[in-house]
């Protein structure tokens, strides 16, 4: 081997080592929680830049259709890893105690749940107490709807009436006046309302995180099979993901091109805004800055497990030790990805 080839070989080895010692081109099938929208750029950036490949991974990223589906598909072995709501993962564990391959959360990404109640200003709803006796709407599997009993209890809200619908009709029914308020992810439902002709200033948003509900949001999940057989691959994935996520948060407008490459008909301006809103509200939130990107506070996670067990009426109580494993997180330096706090 001549000197030039030796230098290239040494550089390649160093690149692989920097991302952990995953075996050469380990295949990882990864499913998102939802469609290719703005927040997907957090994962797609590393794919576009070749960071997963440099870490010795052959990563395939697919769109999803809800956190519950992603948890189920990782459990079934269809996917190795995914991105899903922590409450949906807890619910799966507690309702399927005998499932042989229950996924485990390995990295916190949305430090706060994006769940919120949204209403139109003309409804007169301005605070949680105004929801007493009102008609609320959301799909039955919506994270905000399922966690509403926690929000309800924290804010002393009386009875409400629920109307169910498919996701595309949620905001439409609110605009039509069929319902008084909806639950949904703040950055999804607000932009959907705008797309239906509503001005942002005419929408009231009551984020759960601002009203006494400190639930964690979306996490990276992995199958216990992969955790057992190749924890180095998971660590390599998380380090590569963190590197791309840092770039996506620093420059959302550039990163959104990775989403457009996967879905050519997206509205680039709208999805750039959605990404920025997600970063501001749940990824680089004050709680995330306090706890550190990727990490959790055990006491807060234990409280969430108790709240989810009660609100979701699960068969068994949620066991935090079974749903979270932070042992594969990258180093503190690699997790230093959040953009500077806005003044």
């Amino acid at each position: 081997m001549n000197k030039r080839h030796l230098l290239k070989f040494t550089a390649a080895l160093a690149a692989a080592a920097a991302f952990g010692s995953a075996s050469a081109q380990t295949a990882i099938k990864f499913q998102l929680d939802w469609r290719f929208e703005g927040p997907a750029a957090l994962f797609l950036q590393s794919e576009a830049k070749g960071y997963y490949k440099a870490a010795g991974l052959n990563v395939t990223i697919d769109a999803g259709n809800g956190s519950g589906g992603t948890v189920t598909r990782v459990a079934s072995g269809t996917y190795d890893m995914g991105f899903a709501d922590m409450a949906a993962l807890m619910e799966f564990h507690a309702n399927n105690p005998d499932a042989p391959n229950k996924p485990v959360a390995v990295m916190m990404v949305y430090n706060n749940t994006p769940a919120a109640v949204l209403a139109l200003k003309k409804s007169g709803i301005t605070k949680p107490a105004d929801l007493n006796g009102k008609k609320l709407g959301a799909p039955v599997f919506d994270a905000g709807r399922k966690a509403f009993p926690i929000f309800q209890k924290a804010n002393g809200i009386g009875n409400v009436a629920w109307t169910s619908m498919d996701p595309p009709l949620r905001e439409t029914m609110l605009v039509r006046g069929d319902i008084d308020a909806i639950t949904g992810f703040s950055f999804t439902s607000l932009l959907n309302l705008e797309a239906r002709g509503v001005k942002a200033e005419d929408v009231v948003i009551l984020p759960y995180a601002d009203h006494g509900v400190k639930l964690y949001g979306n996490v990276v999940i992995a199958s216990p099979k992969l955790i057992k057989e190749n924890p180095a691959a998971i660590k390599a994935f998380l380090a590569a993901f963190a590197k791309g996520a840092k770039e996506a948060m620093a420059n959302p407008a550039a990163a959104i091109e990775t989403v457009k490459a996967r879905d050519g008909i997206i509205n680039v301006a709208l999805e750039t805004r959605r990404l920025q809103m997600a970063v501001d509200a749940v990824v680089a939130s004050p709680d995330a800055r306090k706890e550190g990107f990727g990490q959790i506070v055990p006491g807060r996670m234990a409280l969430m497990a108790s709240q989810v067990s009660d609100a979701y009426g699960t068969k068994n109580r949620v066991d935090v030790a079974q749903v979270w494993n932070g042992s594969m997180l990258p180093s503190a330096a690699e997790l230093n990805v959040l953009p500077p706090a806005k003044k």
Side-chain angles (χ1 to χ4, degrees):
M1 188 183 281
N2 66 33
K3 190 176 178 184
R4 188 163 61 87
H5 283 122
L6 181 63
L7 281 171
K8 285 177 81 172
F9 179 68
T10 306
L13 279 179
F19 284 107
S21 56
S23 54
Q25 293 304 302
T26 300
I28 290 182
K29 285 193 71 184
F30 186 94
Q31 185 169 53
L32 296 168
D33 61 326
W34 199 238
R35 296 185 286 260
F36 288 119
E37 293 183 341
L42 296 169
F43 292 94
L44 296 174
Q45 178 76 3
S46 295
E47 181 187 50
K49 288 292 194 76
Y51 298 150
Y52 297 128
K53 206 168 275 300
L57 306 173
N58 178 17
V59 177
T60 308
I61 300 175
D62 292 336
N65 61 356
S67 286
T70 300
V71 171
T72 303
R73 288 182 201 107
V74 174
S76 72
T78 307
Y79 287 88
D80 305 297
M81 298 180 71
F83 188 49
D85 180 44
M86 188 73 212
L89 177 68
M90 287 180 167
E91 182 184 26
F92 182 85
H93 270 256
N95 280 339
N96 299 279
D98 300 324
N101 194 44
K102 293 191 279 292
V104 178
V106 293
M107 177 186 254
M108 184 58 61
V109 181
Y110 290 175
N111 187 283
N112 297 99
T113 176
V117 174
L118 294 93
L120 301 182
K121 265 198 183 142
K122 64 183 181 184
S123 70
I125 295 169
T126 60
K127 58 188 183 297
D130 296 334
L131 296 170
N132 278 323
K134 292 290 194 286
K135 281 169 64 177
L136 270 66
V140 287
F141 59 80
D142 174 68
R145 177 170 176 172
K146 292 180 96 161
F148 187 79
I150 305 170
F151 181 80
Q152 201 169 12
K153 186 176 177 183
N155 294 282
I157 300 166
N159 290 333
V160 300
W162 283 98
T163 298
S164 302
M165 75 288 287
D166 288 331
L169 285 173
R170 169 174 30 199
E171 291 80 14
T172 301
M173 289 180 72
L174 181 64
V175 173
R176 280 202 315 234
D178 299 337
I179 45 184
D180 301 308
I182 58 174
T183 57
F185 278 13
S186 56
F187 47 79
T188 299
S189 286
L190 175 63
L191 294 181
N192 289 348
L193 285 167
E194 286 187 26
R196 287 157 179 76
V198 180
K199 292 183 177 143
E201 58 266 29
D202 293 331
V203 180
V204 175
I205 305 177
L206 305 172
Y208 283 20
D210 293 350
H211 293 88
V213 181
K214 291 294 184 184
L215 298 179
Y216 283 110
N218 282 31
V219 287
V220 176
I221 62 174
S223 74
K225 183 175 184 287
L226 187 62
I227 292 172
K228 186 180 175 187
E229 294 175 2
N230 201 345
I234 297 172
K235 187 165 187 174
F237 176 92
L238 297 177
F241 158 65
K243 188 175 182 184
K246 182 175 187 174
E247 293 178 359
M249 289 189 276
N251 192 347
I256 218 71
E257 291 302 318
T258 65
V259 183
K260 188 168 172 57
R262 297 300 297 267
D263 182 354
I265 62 166
I266 66 161
N267 178 326
V268 171
L270 183 112
E271 295 309 333
T272 304
R273 239 181 103 210
R274 196 190 309 272
L275 172 57
Q276 188 64 64
M277 287 169 73
V279 170
D280 293 344
V282 298
V283 184
S285 66
D287 286 325
R289 293 184 188 281
K290 193 166 63 183
E291 296 180 10
F293 177 78
Q295 300 167 78
I296 62 133
V297 170
R300 182 178 161 197
M301 186 65 88
L303 175 61
M304 176 176 176
S306 176
Q307 290 175 320
V308 167
S309 300
D310 292 339
Y312 288 48
T314 54
K315 282 184 195 169
N316 291 20
R317 305 294 293 176
V318 177
D319 180 356
V320 174
Q322 299 296 315
V323 297
W324 171 261
N325 182 343
S327 68
M328 290 154 285
L329 284 171
S331 67
E334 290 168 304
L335 288 174
N336 183 19
V337 302
L338 298 179
K342 291 184 175 178
K343 297 247 166 55

